[in-house]
Amino acid sequence: SRPAKLPVCPNPKTAFNRDFVNQPSFQAPAAEHPFAPYVRILGKGKTGSRSLDRQEAHDAFGMILREEVDPLQLGAFLMLLRVKEETGEELAGFVDACRANMLPPPVDLGAQLDWSSYAGKKHQHPWYLLTMLLLAGAGYRVFAHGGDGHTAGRLYTEQAMAELGMPVASDWSQVGEQLDAQNLSYLPLRAFCPRLHDIMQLRPLLGLRSPVNTLVRMLNPLRCDASIQSIFHPAYGDLHRDADRILSQPRSLVFKGDSGEIEIKPQADTRLLLLDNAVEQELTLPRTLANKAAAVNQPSTEPVRALWVGSTTDNYGLDAVLATTAAALVLLEPEWNIGQCRAHSE
């Protein structure tokens, strides 16, 4: 029989007031579950456990996406990975499984830049949306994908784009129409890999992020030659680039963005980790503001709209947009240096 679907986050007052073993419906399994070996690989103690190789990661995550695992196994698997910390090979295998099990895009649907957006803004307004508009207006086809709702108090890309009248799609067909008409489209994760979206929503239940929060940034569903990704913790930069190399991603750029979104913080020097046909480079985008910017009370799209139409000035917002655009051009225009990318962003 098929295992139960992911449970709804339970009421904490009653969630643990249960005795599964003594319930009449409980039956000890007659044989080891097929997913058990993957949990054992990760959790067999300090000397017995190891990381998964790419094929093992692919097989294990494929079972998860096909709902062939018990919710208890899923929780154990994700948290063992979280404690161990995932490897590039594991992430590549997970991405392989997602690509094999998601709703595939049409074979003729393409874009130049893959833009992943899964963090949400917390401290600043979503200025990066204007970089999307600048790139699309310059003729670059930008495909964005993301998720929302897994962390309270954040403004997510889908809501922000909808408020600004930017193109949000409901399926691959609409993505194609929007890219052809506007060079820009956003598709939520739940529209092409709903199981993965559901797993991301476990964060309030588990209390921790899981490897899913990392791997979604590398999905690149349209297999764009250029992929731009943001991290929240600097230590994950090399991990992202390693996974991209294993996945044979032609070009990728990874940096620590504001709140984990693809947005340069103009008050800090930004380390850009570039992968160009398996060749790794590290560049630095210098800061343009000397002082640390204060956090906003609540991220909003209204200041973003006002800056776009020119009804107000915002030095932080303008510098964030131009610097983020320059970073994207580093990826999109391999022949340009950082100075040229900055000049073209203006």
Side-chain angles (χ1 to χ4, degrees):
S1 61
R2 290 175 62 82
K5 291 184 178 293
L6 286 172
V8 175
C9 187
N11 184 333
K13 294 181 179 179
T14 61
F16 303 104
N17 187 23
R18 291 181 275 182
D19 185 353
F20 291 99
V21 176
N22 292 329
Q23 288 182 2
S25 61
F26 177 82
Q27 292 182 348
E32 183 176 82
H33 192 285
F35 191 74
Y38 300 111
V39 178
R40 184 164 55 247
I41 288 171
L42 299 174
K44 202 176 180 182
K46 293 182 178 180
T47 58
S49 61
R50 62 173 175 83
S51 296
L52 303 170
D53 63 32
R54 183 176 180 178
Q55 186 61 52
E56 289 169 335
H58 169 274
D59 295 343
F61 215 77
M63 292 181 68
I64 290 171
L65 293 173
R66 294 189 298 272
E67 302 186 56
E68 296 170 358
V69 306
D70 186 272
L72 292 174
Q73 292 175 312
L74 175 60
F77 183 79
L78 294 177
M79 291 301 96
L80 284 169
L81 282 167
R82 179 69 173 86
V83 172
K84 177 187 74 67
E85 295 187 349
E86 56 269 38
T87 66
E89 275 211 31
E90 287 170 334
L91 288 171
F94 297 156
V95 171
D96 291 337
C98 292
R99 289 174 173 175
N101 287 274
M102 72 182 186
L103 181 66
V107 294
D108 59 346
L109 180 58
Q112 290 168 277
L113 178 62
D114 177 83
W115 186 298
S116 56
S117 183
Y118 289 88
K121 292 305 292 289
K122 180 180 181 180
H123 302 297
Q124 299 294 338
H125 304 304
W127 302 111
Y128 61 93
L129 298 178
L130 299 187
T131 288
M132 290 184 181
L133 291 176
L134 287 176
L135 293 172
Y140 300 101
R141 284 169 66 94
V142 180
F143 170 66
H145 53 97
D148 58 15
H150 52 77
T151 304
R154 296 197 172 216
L155 176 59
Y156 290 94
T157 298
E158 181 177 0
Q159 176 188 343
M161 289 183 70
E163 290 179 1
L164 292 172
M166 296 172 67
V168 176
S170 58
D171 55 31
W172 287 123
S173 176
Q174 197 170 17
V175 168
E177 294 170 0
Q178 292 175 347
L179 285 173
D180 289 342
Q182 302 179 61
N183 283 331
L184 176 63
S185 181
Y186 172 95
L187 186 67
L189 180 65
R190 64 180 182 277
F192 64 94
C193 198
R195 175 66 169 169
L196 198 56
H197 168 85
D198 291 345
I199 296 172
M200 287 193 71
Q201 305 311 306
L202 290 176
R203 180 169 183 171
L205 180 62
L206 298 173
L208 293 169
R209 63 170 294 279
S210 76
V212 172
N213 296 77
T214 301
L215 73 91
V216 288
R217 289 166 161 82
M218 305 171 198
L219 285 177
N220 192 358
L222 297 186
R223 310 293 180 92
C224 302
D225 285 345
S227 171
I228 191 167
Q229 304 158 27
S230 176
I231 53 175
F232 185 77
H233 299 290
Y236 278 87
D238 292 323
L239 178 63
H240 277 243
R241 189 167 59 176
D242 188 39
D244 281 331
R245 178 183 52 78
I246 296 170
L247 287 164
S248 298
Q249 172 63 36
R251 286 178 63 81
S252 69
L253 183 68
V254 182
F255 63 86
K256 183 180 183 296
D258 184 69
S259 295
E261 284 290 353
I262 298 172
E263 182 179 297
I264 297 290
K265 294 186 284 188
Q267 75 273 30
D269 295 335
T270 302
R271 178 179 175 233
L272 303 177
L273 300 181
L274 180 66
L275 182 71
D276 184 3
N277 294 304
V279 177
E280 298 180 358
Q281 301 178 48
E282 182 174 331
L283 307 171
T284 300
L285 193 62
R287 71 185 68 197
T288 55
L289 296 179
N291 299 321
K292 183 177 180 180
V296 299
N297 292 327
Q298 179 65 47
S300 170
T301 56
E302 286 310 309
V304 177
R305 186 195 308 274
L307 181 61
W308 181 251
V309 300
S311 63
T312 188
T313 58
D314 189 303
N315 291 335
Y316 179 94
L318 180 60
D319 279 24
V321 172
L322 296 180
T324 305
T325 304
L329 291 175
V330 167
L331 182 62
L332 290 165
E333 299 293 345
E335 302 304 317
W336 295 354
N337 59 37
I338 286 185
Q340 290 172 304
C341 292
R342 181 71 195 210
H344 279 82
S345 72
E346 300 175 356

